[in-house]
Amino acid sequence: MLPAISVRGLGIRFNRNRKRRISPKDLVLRRAAPATEFWALRNVSFDVNAGEAVGLVGANGQGKSTLLRLIAGVLLPDEGSVTVNGGVAPLIEVTGGFVGDLTARDNIELTAGLHGLSRREIQSRFDEIVDFAEIGDFLDTPFRHFSSGMKVRLGFSVITSIDEPIVLVDEVLAVGDRNFREKCYKRMEDLLSENRTLFLVSHSERDLKRFCTRGIYLRKGELVADGELGTVLDRYREEDVDPDDPDRLRPARDRPEDEDQEESS
């Protein structure tokens, strides 16, 4: 059986100084501003089988979100390949890719439709999406006026209500109060019970251990560990040496059950 995701020799590069001013001399001589390119990812290879739950770890700026965007097809690689066998439901930013000027109602219909749901299917799931997101009083409010918590609730609700077999989640569970996080956890457990494939980016050891059995560790854009989650977390923990880094791996004991993050409406 073909893997759900197959990555081979993957690499993508960006230009650090794309907004650098060009001097008059450069314009006269038709010289381009010197580019400082860097590889956000390079020589990354792995397979993910259908039904696997993979935790992607690494410090900020190491290529985790870039990798999810490549899998989702938002970015194209400069070298290597990404082959995805099945549709992808990506929640890789707080906005969920929604359009700020559209209402919540319109965003639900647009996003679900883009993922292949018919109008009848959207209508049959509409009330459940709204109830889960707890945004019933704001259906006709432009999305840009939503708080971060409301955006995450709606994005998560829509993305996990469609039928794509591969789900990508990038750190969005860090936003929202405890009650909503528990709803999200239950929804993710339901998805895994349906043999969905999960790619989860998180700095929370609790969340990673709750959902994932396999870990992938990225450092400076390279894959340095891939295997059983506990082993990969141990490797990451050994190298994650800055205790003052707010984005370091958070042990389960550092996140009390009654910790609530601000969520305004």
Side-chain angles (χ1 to χ4, degrees):
M1 185 173 62
L2 292 174
I5 303 168
S6 182
V7 173
R8 291 289 178 271
L10 186 64
I12 186 169
R13 59 190 172 189
F14 299 118
N15 185 1
R16 283 194 179 93
N17 63 343
R18 61 182 177 179
K19 295 182 179 180
R20 179 184 181 275
R21 292 182 179 179
I22 300 177
S23 70
K25 184 177 180 180
D26 289 332
L27 289 174
V28 170
L29 298 178
R30 297 185 178 181
R31 295 188 309 197
T36 306
E37 292 184 337
F38 73 99
W39 288 90
L41 289 170
R42 200 163 200 192
N43 300 323
V44 174
S45 298
F46 60 84
D47 288 334
V48 176
N49 294 320
E52 274 197 284
V54 181
L56 188 58
V57 301
N60 279 358
Q62 307 303 303
K64 303 186 303 299
S65 296
T66 299
L67 176 57
L68 291 196
R69 284 171 168 78
L70 286 161
I71 293 172
V74 177
L75 297 175
L76 298 176
D78 289 303
E79 63 182 21
S81 64
V82 179
T83 303
V84 179
N85 295 300
V88 176
L91 190 55
I92 52 181
E93 56 184 11
V94 169
T95 63
F98 290 173
V99 180
D101 289 334
L102 295 183
T103 65
R105 185 191 307 276
D106 292 338
N107 270 298
I108 292 171
E109 295 176 350
L110 175 63
T111 303
L114 289 173
H115 282 274
L117 267 63
S118 67
R119 182 172 295 275
R120 177 175 296 181
E121 289 173 320
I122 295 171
Q123 290 305 313
S124 69
R125 304 180 195 191
F126 188 86
D127 289 344
E128 180 185 353
I129 291 171
V130 173
D131 290 344
F132 186 94
E134 302 171 8
I135 49 95
D137 293 334
F138 303 94
L139 272 177
D140 297 309
T141 300
F143 186 71
R144 68 175 182 273
H145 295 316
F146 279 24
S147 68
S148 294
M150 294 171 68
K151 289 176 180 178
V152 168
R153 293 203 306 263
L154 181 58
F156 187 91
S157 182
V158 173
I159 291 300
T160 57
S161 295
I162 57 184
D163 296 326
E164 306 292 20
I166 301 170
V167 181
L168 310 178
V169 181
D170 186 0
E171 200 62 72
V172 296
L173 297 182
V175 180
D177 62 24
R178 177 170 57 91
N179 290 335
F180 181 71
R181 284 200 302 268
E182 286 301 323
K183 288 174 60 174
C184 292
Y185 294 156
K186 178 62 168 60
R187 175 66 64 86
M188 290 175 67
E189 288 169 348
D190 291 343
L191 293 176
L192 291 174
S193 71
E194 298 169 359
N195 205 40
R196 305 282 187 99
T197 303
L198 173 67
F199 234 114
L200 174 64
V201 173
S202 179
H203 291 288
S204 168
E205 186 173 331
R206 178 194 298 272
D207 292 351
L208 291 165
K209 288 183 174 179
R210 182 164 184 169
F211 300 111
C212 304
T213 56
R214 175 181 170 188
I216 289 178
Y217 171 26
L218 294 179
R219 185 183 64 214
K220 297 181 179 179
E222 297 183 352
L223 193 158
V224 296
D226 178 5
E228 190 272 329
L229 178 66
T231 302
V232 172
L233 290 179
D234 288 343
R235 172 78 179 274
Y236 178 35
R237 198 180 295 110
E238 289 172 0
E239 300 180 1
D240 186 27
V241 295
D242 184 357
D244 297 322
D245 183 359
D247 296 312
R248 73 190 192 282
L249 184 66
R250 299 191 301 270
R253 64 180 179 274
D254 287 348
R255 182 173 174 179
E257 284 296 330
D258 61 350
E259 174 188 355
D260 285 353
Q261 300 196 16
E262 180 179 358
E263 179 187 4
S264 63
S265 61

